[in-house]
Amino acid sequence: MKVLVVGANGQIGKHVVSFIKDSNNLEAKAMIRKQGQASLLEDLGAETVLVDLEEDDIDTIAKAAQGVDAIVFTAGSGPHTGPDKTMLIDLDGAVKTIEAAKVAGVKRFVMVSSFDTTREAIQAAPESFAPYVVAKHYADVWLRSTDLDYTIVHPGGLTNDKGTGQVQAASEVERGKVPREDIASVIVGCLENESTIGKEFQVVTGTTPIQEAIKSI
Amino acid sequence: MKVLVVGANGQIGKHVVSFIKDSNNLEAKAMIRKQGQASLLEDLGAETVLVDLEEDDIDTIAKAAQGVDAIVFTAGSGPHTGPDKTMLIDLDGAVKTIEAAKVAGVKRFVMVSSFDTTREAIQAAPESFAPYVVAKHYADVWLRSTDLDYTIVHPGGLTNDKGTGQVQAASEVERGKVPREDIASVIVGCLENESTIGKEFQVVTGTTPIQEAIKSI
């Protein structure tokens, strides 16, 4: 199964590509924005394709997705840019990727969302965080409205700690932290488990081995 | 016909309330954010209701919409705020108002959009303007997906010039300018003409009297 990783050079993305390399039946196509990001990802065994998620259109993304079997969306504008990029990457970049999946005929789609993207979470969010929640809310709503084979992963507070390999995952879990490395492992686990199709769940660090947690979703 | 004007204290909103006052069969309920905005709008003959489009939830907006026959959405975060407010007002505020219309059972909805909110317009927009186009794009998409009796008005470049009472209006017109006062007149014309239900059109200054232009849509 060939997987287009959108945001492959991101902090979760690199782990995803790395786990795909270690898997038996997956191979990665890393979608990146700059040529300078290619060598690292090629060293991790991935084919690379250059696309600017902000500047490029749906057809360009669809071309990158041509011939893959699944798409993972783990791109994000990051904490060092403003809400203008949140609008253009986290919302519109996600929707363009979803539409590109349709154009390219790629059914399987794994979305890395935010912990809580409900309407209630928008209203409850601190002012500085609210635009991000709005963006992720509408991206999730858009994906749910498609007939793609989607899974939406809602991670807790992301850390750069080493993965523990153990999580708590369910439709609703108590808010907590989780290493990016474990989220990458969860994403790859979703790709390997068709039982996660049409589902979404929150994930934080826990006591259940990731494979087991995914099978219980 | 009672009309909830969302963004009544805005530059278009005030003209809308004023034109409603001059009409025979319409009355305005002005939705405003601050109590200090009330007296001006009451002087223009409107009832007022206090709602913060950003902070308040769908149910609060629905309560404001209780008993009205139509909603005009002409709120905007304006050019002096950042894209965070664009996300929270122009996108999420619009969607909350649309959802509130459903909750309150108000079928008629007139949306003041931007001149071109197509996907192509997003890609073509200058970087500083793109987040606004994205916000208006998704608000329009949301409205189209409902079964509300909507009209979407896409005005050209807005000016504070006095209205000429003459416009060019069609699905696609050449980009141009148009006074806010004329857009307000177009909005009220839409409320008075059921033939505009389910339609959307661009409007710039032209040579056709507004009533005639609306009837030709």
Side-chain angles (χ1 to χ4, degrees):
Chain A
M1 185 194 257
K2 195 168 191 170
V3 184
L4 181 70
V5 182
V6 177
N9 194 58
Q11 297 189 80
I12 293 176
K14 281 177 198 154
H15 286 300
V16 170
V17 171
S18 179
F19 282 125
I20 287 177
K21 184 173 192 276
D22 297 341
S23 76
N24 290 322
N25 53 344
L26 302 177
E27 51 182 317
K29 185 171 183 181
M31 193 171 117
I32 52 178
R33 192 159 55 98
K34 294 177 188 159
Q35 188 55 47
Q37 300 166 341
S39 64
L40 172 76
L41 291 154
E42 284 161 5
D43 289 350
L44 290 173
E47 181 186 338
T48 57
V49 58
L50 270 180
V51 175
D52 187 315
L53 200 52
E54 183 183 333
E55 292 296 330
D56 288 328
D57 61 10
I58 291 169
D59 284 343
T60 307
I61 305 169
K63 220 166 141 186
Q66 210 57 257
V68 309
D69 307 288
I71 296 175
V72 169
F73 186 88
T74 183
S77 58
H80 303 300
T81 59
D84 52 337
K85 298 296 178 192
T86 305
M87 186 82 86
L88 296 169
I89 304 293
D90 300 271
L91 170 51
D92 202 45
V95 170
K96 285 196 289 189
T97 305
I98 293 164
E99 292 303 297
K102 294 185 196 170
V103 172
V106 182
K107 286 287 279 181
R108 188 74 176 107
F109 199 105
V110 178
M111 170 71 91
V112 181
S113 183
S114 179
F115 186 69
D116 188 349
T117 62
T118 57
R119 161 107 352 249
E120 293 69 35
I122 296 173
Q123 298 296 141
E127 199 177 345
S128 62
F129 192 60
Y132 178 73
V133 182
V134 171
K136 299 300 279 184
H137 170 80
Y138 286 99
D140 288 352
V141 167
W142 195 280
L143 182 53
R144 284 183 208 118
S145 78
T146 68
D147 62 353
L148 296 178
D149 292 338
Y150 69 80
T151 305
I152 304 178
V153 179
H154 298 277
L158 295 163
T159 73
N160 286 329
D161 296 346
K162 196 166 163 39
T164 66
Q166 298 195 313
V167 296
Q168 189 192 355
S171 344
E172 286 186 46
V173 303
E174 207 173 312
R175 198 176 277 271
K177 299 203 165 182
V178 63
R180 289 183 170 85
E181 190 177 357
D182 282 336
I183 291 302
S185 183
V186 166
I187 292 165
V188 174
C190 287
L191 291 168
E192 287 171 331
N193 285 277
E194 292 197 350
S195 61
T196 60
I197 289 174
K199 296 187 181 158
E200 52 189 294
F201 54 89
Q202 297 181 327
V203 203
V204 295
T205 290
T207 53
T208 310
I210 286 173
Q211 284 302 324
E212 201 179 307
I214 287 171
K215 288 197 170 78
S216 75
I217 292 297
Chain B
M1 187 194 255
K2 196 169 190 171
V3 184
L4 181 71
V5 181
V6 177
N9 194 59
Q11 296 188 81
I12 293 176
K14 280 178 202 155
H15 285 300
V16 170
V17 171
S18 178
F19 282 126
I20 286 178
K21 184 174 192 277
D22 297 340
S23 76
N24 291 323
N25 53 345
L26 302 177
E27 50 182 317
K29 184 172 183 180
M31 193 171 115
I32 51 176
R33 193 158 56 95
K34 295 176 187 160
Q35 187 56 47
Q37 299 166 342
S39 63
L40 172 76
L41 291 153
E42 285 161 6
D43 289 349
L44 290 173
E47 179 187 341
T48 58
V49 57
L50 270 181
V51 175
D52 187 315
L53 201 52
E54 183 184 335
E55 292 296 329
D56 288 328
D57 61 11
I58 291 168
D59 285 342
T60 306
I61 305 169
K63 220 166 138 186
Q66 211 57 257
V68 309
D69 306 289
I71 295 176
V72 170
F73 186 88
T74 183
S77 58
H80 303 299
T81 60
D84 51 338
K85 298 296 178 189
T86 305
M87 186 82 84
L88 296 170
I89 303 293
D90 301 88
L91 170 51
D92 202 44
V95 169
K96 285 196 288 189
T97 306
I98 294 164
E99 292 303 298
K102 293 185 196 170
V103 172
V106 181
K107 287 286 280 182
R108 188 73 176 107
F109 199 105
V110 178
M111 169 72 92
V112 180
S113 182
S114 179
F115 186 68
D116 188 348
T117 62
T118 58
R119 162 114 341 260
E120 293 68 34
I122 297 172
Q123 297 298 140
E127 200 178 345
S128 62
F129 192 60
Y132 178 73
V133 183
V134 171
K136 298 300 279 185
H137 170 80
Y138 285 99
D140 288 352
V141 166
W142 196 280
L143 182 55
R144 283 183 208 116
S145 78
T146 67
D147 63 354
L148 295 179
D149 291 339
Y150 68 81
T151 304
I152 304 179
V153 179
H154 297 277
L158 296 164
T159 72
N160 286 329
D161 295 345
K162 197 166 164 40
T164 66
Q166 297 196 315
V167 296
Q168 189 191 357
S171 346
E172 285 186 45
V173 303
E174 207 172 311
R175 197 177 279 269
K177 299 203 166 183
V178 63
R180 289 183 169 86
E181 190 177 357
D182 281 336
I183 292 303
S185 182
V186 166
I187 292 164
V188 174
C190 287
L191 291 168
E192 287 171 332
N193 284 278
E194 291 198 349
S195 61
T196 60
I197 289 174
K199 297 190 180 157
E200 52 188 293
F201 55 89
Q202 297 181 327
V203 203
V204 295
T205 289
T207 53
T208 311
I210 287 175
Q211 284 301 325
E212 200 181 308
I214 286 171
K215 289 199 168 77
S216 74
I217 293 295

